[in-house]
Amino acid sequence: MERVIVSDDEVRKFFLGISSEGLKRQLDGLEHGLSKYSENPSIVPRRLLQRTSDGSTLHMYMPVVDTEYSGIKMLGYNENGGSGIIGCINVTDGRSGQLVGCVEAKELTGVRTALASCIVLRHQLDKLRTDGVEITMFGSGLQAFWHIFIVGKLLRGDNNKRDLKVNIIYRQHPLQLDVLAKEIDGTVFKQVLLSDQNAVDQALLSSDIIFCCTASLNPLISLKQLQIERIGSNPVKHTYISLIGSYNSTMHECDQDLIKEFQHRDVKILVDSKEHTLIEAGELNLAKVQPNQVLEIGAFPGTGNVFCPISPHTTITLCKIVGLGIMDICVSKNMLKMLSDRAAM
């Protein structure tokens, strides 16, 4: 590549055009990066949060220091700026410190979180229904978009033509579907207001996969909702749940009963980081989940069961992600390499 700055628009274009092989390469790379973190958490030093001297803008710096993955993610947020959280990821050579590339962070953050949510899921595809898969998404923002896109591409791999249905549960604004409808052809989309409790309950009951990309002070998913008897000729037998919307100890995406069910049955809850998740995730913090009750994605499959029986015929896998800088560095570095390879052809 002649230049090393990749804009949000270029990130979006790259991943919308990614092949099945390219997606596999990204998932493999991120899984490898998270395994390096699990082996040696010190490669991700403590993040820095600090406001500017006038108090107007919050800055966050997320460093990664390793010979293979090195760099820093930098974000800024001015609540009066109208741009949301913006920033960039600087990827450097771990041995020399030389800049490899700079990637704008908004689109990339959504992509890397969606990829992280799908790492363990891709090892559980044989647990899903083979004739059709139903997905429920809480949220209608950028994170929701990329989760639906990535899981759609994963389930619609080169040799897999599963029928897909996606329920999108939104608070105020429905998700724009034109790009998703084009890229995941033949998918049935249904948009549901979060306030429509009956529709939400029905969506959860029939879902093979649930993603929660909605920040909430009150639980959006309960054990009781998931335990209702599932009927029909081909009911759901296993549900994979990934929670990524809550980001501090006061927020909760699922209720305490669901967390306690995992604790009671000695089933591991999947996390990206034991250190960060047990502090920052409200659901786990309130339940006083201990380090031996979670399993890092980077240590998967590791030791311990991740299938929690919640009824005689249904199991749940639960994953909680708060986000690590190494995710951004891994995905950015792999994208820069793939772009460089493409340019050299």
Side-chain angles (χ1 to χ4, degrees):
M1 294 174 61
E2 295 182 0
R3 58 193 178 92
V4 294
I5 299 175
V6 184
S7 70
D8 280 324
D9 287 343
E10 290 171 312
V11 172
R12 186 176 182 88
K13 181 179 178 181
F14 173 83
F15 280 99
L16 286 178
I18 200 166
S19 65
S20 295
E21 180 57 36
L23 179 60
K24 180 181 183 299
R25 182 172 167 181
Q26 282 285 357
L27 285 165
D28 287 344
L30 184 53
E31 187 168 2
H32 172 64
L34 287 173
S35 70
K36 293 203 73 173
Y37 167 76
S38 290
E39 291 167 3
N40 180 15
S42 69
I43 67 175
V44 179
R46 187 177 300 276
R47 65 187 72 176
L48 171 67
L49 283 88
Q50 186 165 322
R51 288 192 172 273
T52 52
S53 58
D54 63 0
S56 65
T57 307
L58 178 67
H59 288 268
M60 178 187 293
Y61 297 87
M62 302 167 65
V64 178
V65 183
D66 179 61
T67 53
E68 185 173 3
Y69 297 112
S70 180
I72 187 167
K73 180 179 186 178
M74 300 179 290
L75 299 174
Y77 175 65
N78 184 322
E79 60 186 19
N80 297 316
S83 300
I85 300 174
I86 56 176
C88 65
I89 299 122
N90 287 335
V91 180
T92 60
D93 182 283
R95 296 189 182 279
S96 69
Q98 182 177 3
L99 180 68
V100 175
C102 177
V103 181
E104 284 195 302
K106 182 167 282 190
E107 296 282 352
L108 199 284
T109 299
V111 171
R112 61 81 145 147
T113 312
L115 288 167
S117 283
C118 290
I119 287 175
V120 174
L121 174 60
R122 70 171 175 160
H123 296 294
Q124 296 186 359
L125 296 183
D126 61 335
K127 299 288 185 181
L128 307 181
R129 291 177 292 181
T130 56
D131 58 339
V133 172
E134 190 160 340
I135 302 158
T136 289
M137 164 59 68
F138 285 85
S140 57
L142 199 57
Q143 294 275 13
F145 173 88
W146 283 115
H147 272 75
I148 294 170
F149 178 82
I150 295 294
V151 77
K153 288 294 184 181
L154 180 64
L155 294 171
R156 285 278 183 81
D158 291 335
N159 300 311
N160 194 330
K161 302 299 180 183
R162 300 177 199 242
D163 292 332
L164 299 181
K165 179 181 178 181
V166 180
N167 307 301
I168 299 160
I169 300 172
Y170 66 97
R171 275 202 178 108
Q172 293 180 310
H173 305 291
L175 182 63
Q176 294 296 318
L177 295 175
D178 50 342
V179 174
L180 289 172
K182 177 183 177 182
E183 296 293 337
I184 315 173
D185 185 45
T187 299
V188 176
F189 293 96
K190 181 180 180 180
Q191 306 226 46
V192 175
L193 272 167
L194 181 59
S195 58
D196 187 346
Q197 193 60 58
N198 288 335
V200 172
D201 289 347
Q202 185 55 51
L204 292 177
L205 194 60
S206 57
S207 291
D208 304 85
I209 301 166
I210 300 170
F211 293 123
C212 194
C213 299
T214 299
S216 179
L217 295 175
N218 300 308
L220 301 171
I221 302 168
S222 71
L223 175 63
K224 185 177 179 180
Q225 287 172 306
L226 300 170
Q227 285 182 319
I228 299 172
E229 183 180 0
R230 306 181 184 205
I231 59 176
S233 58
N234 187 23
V236 176
K237 295 182 180 179
H238 176 67
T239 300
Y240 175 87
I241 302 174
S242 182
L243 310 176
I244 66 99
S246 61
Y247 52 85
N248 66 44
S249 60
T250 65
M251 293 181 172
H252 305 268
E253 294 174 276
C254 72
D255 71 355
Q256 290 295 285
D257 288 340
L258 182 56
I259 300 298
K260 290 176 180 178
E261 189 74 8
F262 276 75
Q263 292 175 303
H264 172 69
R265 295 185 179 275
D266 195 25
V267 177
K268 304 287 188 182
I269 298 171
L270 290 158
V271 297
D272 51 347
S273 165
K274 291 183 179 183
E275 177 186 357
H276 296 283
T277 308
L278 296 182
I279 296 172
E280 298 173 21
E283 309 91 344
L284 308 189
N285 187 285
L286 183 61
K288 294 182 171 55
V289 173
Q290 299 301 305
N292 66 339
Q293 295 176 319
V294 297
L295 175 66
E296 289 184 341
I297 296 170
F300 181 83
T303 57
N305 177 28
V306 297
F307 297 98
C308 183
I310 60 166
S311 73
H313 305 292
T314 308
T315 57
I316 298 286
T317 292
L318 183 63
C319 181
K320 175 63 192 178
I321 295 172
V322 295
L324 292 169
I326 194 167
M327 296 177 182
D328 303 277
I329 300 299
C330 284
V331 176
S332 296
K333 182 178 180 179
N334 287 332
M335 180 185 68
L336 289 165
K337 179 64 167 65
M338 293 166 76
L339 287 170
S340 178
D341 291 345
R342 185 183 299 174
M345 292 178 64

